[in-house]
Structure formats: C-alpha cells, structure tokens
Coordinates of all heavy atoms in Angstrom, one line a residue:
R21 N -33.1 20.1 -57.6 CA -32.2 20.4 -58.6 C -31.0 21.2 -58.0 O -31.0 22.0 -57.1 CB -32.8 21.4 -59.6 CG -33.9 20.6 -60.5 CD -34.6 21.5 -61.5 NE -33.8 22.3 -62.3 CZ -33.2 22.0 -63.4 NH1 -33.4 20.7 -63.9 NH2 -32.4 22.8 -64.1
V22 N -29.7 20.7 -58.6 CA -28.5 21.2 -58.0 C -27.6 21.8 -59.1 O -27.4 21.2 -60.1 CB -27.9 20.1 -57.3 CG1 -26.5 20.5 -56.8 CG2 -28.6 19.5 -56.1
I23 N -27.1 23.0 -58.9 CA -26.0 23.4 -59.8 C -24.6 23.3 -59.0 O -24.6 23.7 -57.9 CB -26.2 24.9 -60.1 CG1 -27.5 25.0 -61.0 CG2 -25.0 25.4 -60.9 CD1 -27.8 26.4 -61.3
I24 N -23.8 22.5 -59.5 CA -22.4 22.3 -58.8 C -21.5 23.4 -59.4 O -21.3 23.4 -60.6 CB -22.0 20.9 -59.1 CG1 -23.0 19.8 -58.7 CG2 -20.7 20.7 -58.4 CD1 -22.8 18.5 -59.1
V25 N -20.7 24.0 -58.6 CA -19.7 25.0 -58.8 C -18.4 24.6 -58.2 O -18.4 24.3 -57.0 CB -20.2 26.4 -58.3 CG1 -19.2 27.4 -58.6 CG2 -21.6 26.8 -58.8
D26 N -17.4 24.6 -59.1 CA -16.1 24.3 -58.6 C -15.1 25.3 -59.1 O -15.4 26.0 -60.1 CB -15.7 22.8 -59.0 CG -14.6 22.3 -58.2 OD1 -14.0 22.9 -57.3 OD2 -14.2 21.1 -58.5
D27 N -13.9 25.4 -58.6 CA -12.9 26.4 -59.1 C -12.2 25.9 -60.4 O -11.9 26.7 -61.3 CB -11.8 26.6 -58.0 CG -11.1 25.4 -57.6 OD1 -11.5 24.3 -57.9 OD2 -9.9 25.6 -56.9
L28 N -12.1 24.5 -60.7 CA -11.3 24.1 -61.8 C -11.7 23.0 -62.5 O -12.2 22.0 -61.7 CB -9.8 23.9 -61.3 CG -8.9 23.3 -62.4 CD1 -8.5 24.4 -63.3 CD2 -7.6 22.8 -61.7
L29 N -12.0 23.0 -63.7 CA -12.2 21.7 -64.5 C -11.0 21.4 -65.3 O -10.6 22.0 -66.2 CB -13.5 21.9 -65.5 CG -13.6 20.7 -66.5 CD1 -14.0 19.5 -65.7 CD2 -14.9 21.1 -67.3
A30 N -10.4 20.2 -64.9 CA -9.2 19.7 -65.6 C -9.6 18.4 -66.3 O -10.2 18.5 -67.3 CB -8.0 19.5 -64.6
T31 N -9.3 17.3 -65.7 CA -9.7 16.0 -66.3 C -11.1 15.6 -66.0 O -11.7 14.8 -66.7 CB -8.8 14.9 -65.8 OG1 -8.9 14.7 -64.4 CG2 -7.4 15.1 -66.1
G32 N -11.7 16.2 -65.0 CA -13.1 15.9 -64.7 C -13.3 14.8 -63.7 O -14.5 14.5 -63.3
G33 N -12.4 14.1 -63.2 CA -12.5 13.1 -62.2 C -13.1 13.6 -61.0 O -14.1 12.8 -60.5
T34 N -12.8 14.7 -60.3 CA -13.4 15.1 -59.1 C -15.0 15.5 -59.4 O -15.8 15.1 -58.5 CB -12.6 16.2 -58.5 OG1 -11.3 16.0 -58.3 CG2 -13.4 16.8 -57.2
M35 N -15.2 16.1 -60.5 CA -16.6 16.5 -60.8 C -17.4 15.2 -61.1 O -18.6 15.2 -60.7 CB -16.7 17.5 -62.0 CG -18.1 18.0 -62.3 SD -18.8 18.7 -60.7 CE -17.9 20.2 -60.5
Q36 N -16.9 14.2 -61.7 CA -17.6 12.9 -61.9 C -18.0 12.4 -60.6 O -19.2 11.9 -60.4 CB -16.8 12.0 -62.7 CG -16.8 12.2 -64.2 CD -16.0 11.1 -64.9 OE1 -14.9 10.7 -64.5 NE2 -16.6 10.6 -65.9
A37 N -17.1 12.4 -59.6 CA -17.4 11.8 -58.3 C -18.5 12.6 -57.5 O -19.4 12.2 -57.0 CB -16.2 11.8 -57.4
T38 N -18.4 14.0 -57.8 CA -19.4 14.9 -57.2 C -20.7 14.7 -57.8 O -21.7 14.6 -57.1 CB -18.9 16.3 -57.4 OG1 -17.6 16.6 -56.8 CG2 -19.9 17.4 -56.9
V39 N -20.8 14.6 -59.1 CA -22.1 14.2 -59.7 C -22.8 12.9 -59.2 O -23.8 12.8 -58.9 CB -21.9 14.2 -61.3 CG1 -23.1 13.7 -62.0 CG2 -21.7 15.6 -61.9
R40 N -21.9 12.0 -59.1 CA -22.4 10.6 -58.6 C -22.9 10.8 -57.2 O -23.9 10.2 -56.8 CB -21.2 9.7 -58.5 CG -21.0 9.0 -59.9 CD -20.1 7.7 -59.9 NE -19.0 7.8 -58.9 CZ -17.9 7.8 -59.2 NH1 -17.4 7.6 -60.5 NH2 -16.8 7.8 -58.4
L41 N -22.3 11.6 -56.3 CA -22.8 11.8 -54.9 C -24.2 12.5 -55.0 O -25.0 12.1 -54.3 CB -21.8 12.7 -54.1 CG -20.8 11.9 -53.4 CD1 -19.8 12.8 -52.6 CD2 -21.5 10.9 -52.3
V42 N -24.2 13.5 -55.8 CA -25.6 14.3 -55.9 C -26.6 13.3 -56.3 O -27.7 13.3 -55.8 CB -25.4 15.5 -56.8 CG1 -26.9 16.1 -57.2 CG2 -24.5 16.5 -56.2
Q43 N -26.4 12.5 -57.4 CA -27.4 11.5 -57.8 C -27.6 10.4 -56.8 O -28.8 10.1 -56.7 CB -26.9 10.9 -59.1 CG -26.9 11.9 -60.2 CD -26.0 11.4 -61.4 OE1 -25.2 10.5 -61.4 NE2 -26.3 12.0 -62.6
Q44 N -26.6 10.1 -56.0 CA -26.9 9.1 -55.0 C -27.9 9.5 -53.8 O -28.7 8.8 -53.5 CB -25.5 8.7 -54.4 CG -25.2 7.5 -53.9 CD -23.7 7.4 -53.4 OE1 -23.3 8.3 -52.6 NE2 -23.1 6.3 -53.7
L45 N -27.8 10.9 -53.7 CA -28.8 11.4 -52.7 C -30.1 11.8 -53.3 O -30.9 12.4 -52.6 CB -28.2 12.7 -52.0 CG -26.9 12.4 -51.2 CD1 -26.4 13.6 -50.5 CD2 -27.3 11.4 -50.0
G46 N -30.3 11.5 -54.5 CA -31.6 11.8 -55.3 C -31.7 13.2 -55.9 O -32.8 13.5 -56.4
G47 N -30.5 13.9 -56.0 CA -30.6 15.2 -56.6 C -30.4 15.1 -58.1 O -30.0 14.1 -58.7
H48 N -31.0 16.2 -58.9 CA -30.9 16.3 -60.4 C -30.0 17.3 -60.7 O -30.1 18.5 -60.1 CB -32.3 16.5 -60.8 CG -33.3 15.5 -60.5 ND1 -33.2 14.2 -61.2 CD2 -34.4 15.3 -59.6 CE1 -34.1 13.4 -60.8 NE2 -34.9 14.2 -59.8
I49 N -29.0 17.1 -61.5 CA -27.9 18.0 -61.9 C -28.7 19.1 -62.9 O -29.0 18.8 -63.9 CB -26.7 17.4 -62.6 CG1 -26.2 16.3 -61.7 CG2 -25.8 18.5 -62.9 CD1 -25.8 16.7 -60.3
G50 N -28.6 20.3 -62.5 CA -29.1 21.5 -63.3 C -28.1 22.1 -64.1 O -28.4 22.8 -65.2
G51 N -26.8 21.9 -63.8 CA -25.7 22.4 -64.4 C -24.4 22.3 -63.7 O -24.5 22.1 -62.5
L52 N -23.3 22.5 -64.4 CA -22.1 22.6 -63.7 C -21.3 23.8 -64.2 O -21.4 24.3 -65.3 CB -21.2 21.4 -64.4 CG -21.7 20.1 -64.3 CD1 -20.9 19.0 -64.9 CD2 -22.1 19.6 -62.9
A53 N -20.7 24.5 -63.2 CA -19.9 25.8 -63.4 C -18.6 25.8 -62.9 O -18.4 25.1 -61.8 CB -20.8 26.9 -62.7

C-alpha cells in the first residue's frame, strides 16, 4: 500500500502518471496528499 505525496495538485497530469507507475509495479494506492 502506497500513499503518494506531492507539493502541488493542479490539473492532475503528473499524479495520474505517478499512480500508473505505482500500479505498474503492483502497488495499491492508499491515498494521495
């Protein structure tokens, strides 16, 4: 389980790519901050 933390949420493009990478490695998203 992974919680992803970033400094800024604007349009969400970077976070969408980050979520895809975590899922690609078999991780489960516990939340975004």
Side-chain angles (χ1 to χ4, degrees):
R21 287 180 51 85
V22 177
I23 295 175
I24 304 172
V25 180
D26 200 359
D27 59 343
L28 178 69
L29 174 57
T31 63
T34 303
M35 185 55 66
Q36 281 184 310
T38 301
V39 165
R40 281 197 314 246
L41 270 178
V42 169
Q43 292 171 336
Q44 220 174 38
L45 294 179
H48 299 287
I49 308 298
L52 309 175

